[in-house]
Amino acid sequence: MVVPVMVVAVLVTSMVLVEAGNFTKEVDITWGDGRAKILNGGHLLTLTLDQASGSGFQSKSEYMYGKFDMQIKLVPGNSAGTVVAYYLRSQGSAWDEIDLEFLGNLSSDPYVLHTNVFTEGQGNREQQFYLWFDPTANFHTYSVLWNPSHLVLYVDGVPIREFKNLEGAGVPYPKSQPMRVYASIWNADNWATRGGLVKTDWSLAPFTASFSGFNANKACIWMDGASSCGGSVGTTVAASSLWPWMAQKGLDGEAQTRMEAVQRKYMIYSYCQDSKRFPQGLPRECSLTSKTRP
């Protein structure tokens, strides 16, 4: 299947260019027995999957709100069965999590970006998108903005998904648990490609994804029960010129329009449209915020 090219303008407010982070200083390789490598003086990190194991890393710091950018170049060719994940997650049995997972494909198919939001250990908030470019040819920037009012997922500065803080309406929101940034590559051929119908072709291994430009400069580091931005867990930091992203209450009109355009053209699944999955009624946030249909 060929996905049409969509030309979109970069949101200036979402894509401020800053010096890229150094992986040697900012992350720890956590698993993979040498399959994860930091190269180019710390500016490139590769994760590899073979039949024996995948690999992964995590940020050295925990964060309590922030804007996080990662440049990723995905596995080229036939990557069916593989998953490259980039996500934020807290600890414990009632964890919070913000997921971007790239589901491997046959060479002729578009990559699928699978997203999910967990609050207090509960997820089931999946939305999936076709990417409108070849994510294996070059690096592209995938971003998470997370503040007390909402979280937004971006692709190359274009918002594709927003999850609002609707606690007043009884919808849990991730606001009380600091999270680390994680990335990994692993085998999920029981579900990743066409619902598990297409299995991993291990004759093509190893499979390698590349990461660059990790930027958490606009994030609040959590250490010893306190935030580098001031305040305690769950506290809304006063708006400041130092942290304009913290004061953002929602997408402005232009960003909302761009997100809705992406969802109309490229969203292939939304839990808010799956009434068969929720016979007792769609989750409450769907009726409060969902305007766009895939």
Side-chain angles (χ1 to χ4, degrees):
M1 176 178 180
V2 177
V3 176
V5 174
M6 181 179 72
V7 178
V8 290
V10 173
L11 294 177
V12 175
T13 56
S14 301
M15 288 292 291
V16 178
L17 296 178
V18 296
E19 183 179 357
N22 187 296
F23 286 112
T24 303
K25 297 177 181 178
E26 297 194 25
V27 309
D28 291 317
I29 293 173
T30 50
W31 62 288
D33 284 336
R35 292 173 178 83
K37 299 182 185 299
I38 297 177
L39 306 167
N40 294 358
H43 295 293
L44 176 69
L45 193 156
T46 59
L47 294 180
T48 295
L49 165 72
D50 58 31
Q51 197 162 6
S53 177
S55 51
F57 66 88
Q58 68 180 40
S59 62
K60 293 179 183 290
S61 297
E62 287 185 298
Y63 304 96
M64 191 66 215
Y65 303 132
K67 172 77 162 36
F68 308 89
D69 301 321
M70 185 77 78
Q71 296 174 8
I72 306 174
K73 184 161 65 172
L74 297 176
V75 177
N78 180 355
S79 58
T82 71
V83 172
V84 175
Y86 163 51
Y87 60 104
L88 279 69
R89 180 180 168 129
S90 65
Q91 301 299 308
S93 59
W95 73 96
D96 296 332
E97 185 172 338
I98 305 167
D99 283 341
L100 294 92
E101 295 183 308
F102 303 89
L103 310 186
N105 62 353
L106 295 172
S107 301
S108 60
D109 292 340
Y111 251 92
V112 172
L113 171 54
H114 174 96
T115 70
N116 203 352
V117 177
F118 287 75
T119 55
E120 300 172 1
Q122 299 297 316
N124 299 324
R125 299 186 179 98
E126 298 92 345
Q127 289 184 353
Q128 293 184 340
F129 304 81
Y130 282 142
L131 295 174
W132 52 91
F133 49 82
D134 179 358
T136 73
N138 295 292
F139 285 95
H140 291 265
T141 302
Y142 305 91
S143 306
V144 177
L145 184 149
W146 168 44
N147 74 16
S149 299
H150 69 163
L151 64 88
V152 186
L153 305 182
Y154 296 87
V155 175
D156 287 336
V158 179
I160 65 168
R161 178 175 185 176
E162 180 185 33
F163 185 80
K164 295 183 177 180
N165 185 342
L166 298 171
E167 286 187 308
V171 180
Y173 184 80
K175 71 167 194 178
S176 60
Q177 301 184 71
M179 295 193 266
R180 293 185 190 272
V181 176
Y182 296 84
S184 60
I185 184 170
W186 46 288
N187 180 45
D189 66 4
N190 60 323
W191 69 276
T193 306
R194 298 182 182 176
L197 295 177
V198 183
K199 302 300 182 181
T200 304
D201 183 350
W202 293 112
S203 70
L204 302 175
F207 303 98
T208 299
S210 301
F211 297 77
S212 183
F214 175 48
N215 178 13
N217 291 348
K218 299 178 184 178
C220 301
I221 295 175
W222 184 257
M223 184 179 297
D224 299 327
S227 168
S228 62
C229 297
S232 58
V233 166
T235 299
T236 301
V237 177
S240 164
S241 59
L242 295 176
W243 310 302
W245 55 265
M246 182 69 83
Q248 183 176 309
K249 301 297 184 182
L251 297 175
D252 63 23
E254 182 181 5
Q256 182 72 31
T257 297
R258 288 174 176 168
M259 182 180 72
E260 291 175 0
V262 168
Q263 292 182 353
R264 281 194 301 270
K265 293 182 180 181
Y266 301 109
M267 186 162 68
I268 58 173
Y269 176 82
S270 174
Y271 74 110
C272 282
Q273 301 302 314
D274 196 344
S275 57
K276 292 183 179 179
R277 184 178 173 191
F278 301 99
Q280 302 305 314
L282 295 172
R284 181 155 177 73
E285 66 266 21
C286 296
S287 62
L288 295 172
T289 63
S290 181
K291 298 180 181 179
T292 305
R293 300 295 182 261

